[in-house]
Amino acid sequence: MRTGDTNMTDKGHSEEYFGEFRDFWWNKDYIDLLAKRWDLNSYSTLLDVGCGLCHWSKILCSYLKKPAKVVALDNDPKWAKGNANARDYFCKQKVDLEFVEGNAYQIPFSDDSFDIVTCQTVLIHLKDPLHALTEMKRVLKKGGLLICAEPNNIAGTLIRSSLDEEENIEEITERTKFRLIYEKGKKKIGEGDSSFGDFLPGYFSKVGLKEIKVYQSDKCLPMYPPYNSPEEIALVKTLNQWVDNNEGPFDYEQSLQYFKAVNKDEAYIDFFNRQWRKNIEEIKLINQGIDREKYHMAGARIMYVTSGMK
């Protein structure tokens, strides 16, 4: 998705970084619970900001009061033109779907247009998430619901697996330091805070939303032999792609740019290159461990789901 001032590749952010694995971000019974808490079946219009391939609105649309309408908004022309798979899916759900090209900072709809406005992993890419949230609130009807799903990505560096069961303190510290610098540099050059989910309730309060609720996804991705669940198969495929491109989930030049935004000293750049090589080697070791059926992890992550009413 490209919804504000971020620059994505022609391939598109969702496709570039997550592939098929993104289809397994949520447990259905957890969404069932949220839908009940939010009383989603009393709402019939939804705006999906930064829709990408509509992963998030596909999940939510089945709970809407019918007849329902979903507007899928994205600033990236690739996503804004829509796709046949999404159209077919929403049609089967008896939900009208409209794709619109537009900016999260200037949502092309009038005030009080939608029952629900929502986004998933969009605010983490924006220089000014407060501006975007203000716009989302503006197009929300009085009594409507704003829902944002945003992570704390830095926490993932401390999730352990069989690969680092005996890892020493210095190795853990260096891996965490690398991610901290990456995220600080990304934010410094205006591409968003990758762990913005921590701040959502405060920002919801700033824009004047009420009845603010914060939930945390219960989705984990355990990996253990024989790795035959749909989620594990999708992740193994992604890991293989990362090995093939010899860069992992992040682009080398872009990551180096983030580091230089924090500090251009030679020692910083040396640390970046040394840790980058370690990160790539770790992905290869994970793949080797999977091939030998020796790799395992619980696979926790932090994904906040924050809601508020206008």
Side-chain angles (χ1 to χ4, degrees):
M1 90 272 14
R2 192 175 71 212
T3 56
D5 45 7
T6 55
N7 294 315
M8 299 298 176
T9 66
D10 290 339
K11 196 174 183 182
H13 175 77
S14 307
E15 188 177 2
E16 181 73 24
Y17 288 99
F18 300 107
E20 294 178 10
F21 176 53
R22 190 158 183 156
D23 294 326
F24 302 100
W25 274 18
W26 303 94
N27 288 319
K28 185 182 181 305
D29 55 354
Y30 175 77
I31 301 297
D32 289 344
L33 176 61
L34 290 184
K36 184 177 180 180
R37 288 172 172 172
W38 292 326
D39 194 21
L40 288 189
N41 62 9
S42 66
Y43 301 102
S44 59
T45 59
L46 180 148
L47 174 66
D48 183 1
V49 179
C51 62
L53 289 169
C54 295
H55 291 95
W56 185 226
S57 48
K58 279 182 177 179
I59 290 172
L60 298 180
C61 75
S62 64
Y63 300 96
L64 299 176
K65 180 182 178 181
K66 307 302 187 298
K69 179 170 182 177
V70 168
V71 175
L73 176 77
D74 209 297
N75 195 39
D76 189 331
K78 175 170 182 141
W79 306 135
K81 69 181 181 181
N83 64 86
N85 288 336
R87 295 184 195 280
D88 290 344
Y89 181 88
F90 282 89
C91 182
K92 290 177 181 177
Q93 296 293 325
K94 295 181 171 38
V95 175
D96 183 29
L97 175 65
E98 178 184 1
F99 283 95
V100 176
E101 185 172 348
N103 195 302
Y105 297 148
Q106 295 177 314
I107 296 175
F109 293 98
S110 60
D111 297 358
D112 309 308
S113 293
F114 298 94
D115 297 326
I116 299 172
V117 178
T118 189
C119 67
Q120 176 180 253
T121 59
V122 168
L123 300 175
I124 59 172
H125 299 295
L126 299 184
K127 180 179 181 179
D128 189 356
L130 182 61
H131 185 173
L133 287 168
T134 301
E135 270 291 276
M136 292 181 197
K137 182 194 173 188
R138 179 185 65 80
V139 300
L140 193 61
K141 293 179 181 179
K142 185 176 180 180
L145 192 64
L146 179 62
I147 303 169
C148 298
E150 302 285 341
N152 174 325
N153 279 316
I154 191 67
T157 60
L158 294 175
I159 302 301
R160 303 175 66 194
S161 73
S162 58
L163 187 65
D164 50 36
E165 193 169 358
E166 303 301 327
E167 192 174 35
N168 61 46
I169 293 174
E170 288 73 21
E171 289 172 319
I172 296 171
T173 302
E174 287 197 342
R175 186 174 67 251
T176 306
K177 178 182 177 181
F178 179 91
R179 183 69 195 214
L180 283 168
I181 297 171
Y182 176 96
E183 292 200 6
K184 182 174 286 291
K186 177 175 177 284
K187 183 178 180 181
K188 192 169 184 178
I189 66 174
E191 293 187 6
D193 183 343
S194 292
S195 295
F196 182 73
D198 288 326
F199 307 112
L200 273 172
Y203 276 70
F204 271 42
S205 179
K206 283 183 181 181
V207 300
L209 292 169
K210 302 174 182 179
E211 298 186 36
I212 299 167
K213 306 292 183 182
V214 183
Y215 308 103
Q216 186 174 327
S217 171
D218 67 348
K219 179 70 177 184
C220 292
L221 182 66
M223 291 283 290
Y224 53 88
Y227 319 108
N228 58 4
S229 72
E231 294 96 329
E232 290 171 298
I233 292 169
L235 183 54
V236 169
K237 182 177 179 179
T238 298
L239 289 168
N240 288 333
Q241 291 170 347
W242 290 349
V243 169
D244 290 342
N245 69 26
N246 202 36
E247 285 196 330
F250 306 113
D251 177 80
Y252 174 86
E253 292 298 333
Q254 184 183 55
S255 301
L256 181 58
Q257 182 185 11
Y258 295 160
F259 263 68
K260 288 181 177 179
V262 175
N263 195 319
K264 295 182 179 179
D265 289 352
E266 184 176 345
Y268 251 64
I269 305 307
D270 286 345
F271 168 73
F272 168 79
N273 284 310
R274 183 173 67 254
Q275 191 61 40
W276 179 272
R277 290 191 294 270
K278 284 185 179 180
N279 293 344
I280 299 302
E281 184 60 29
E282 179 176 312
I283 294 171
K284 293 178 180 178
L285 289 173
I286 291 173
N287 273 19
Q288 292 171 11
I290 290 171
D291 288 342
R292 296 195 298 268
E293 297 196 342
K294 298 293 184 181
Y295 180 77
H296 55 86
M297 68 170 182
R301 63 174 185 150
I302 294 180
M303 175 69 84
Y304 297 105
V305 186
T306 303
S307 65
M309 297 191 73
K310 182 173 177 179

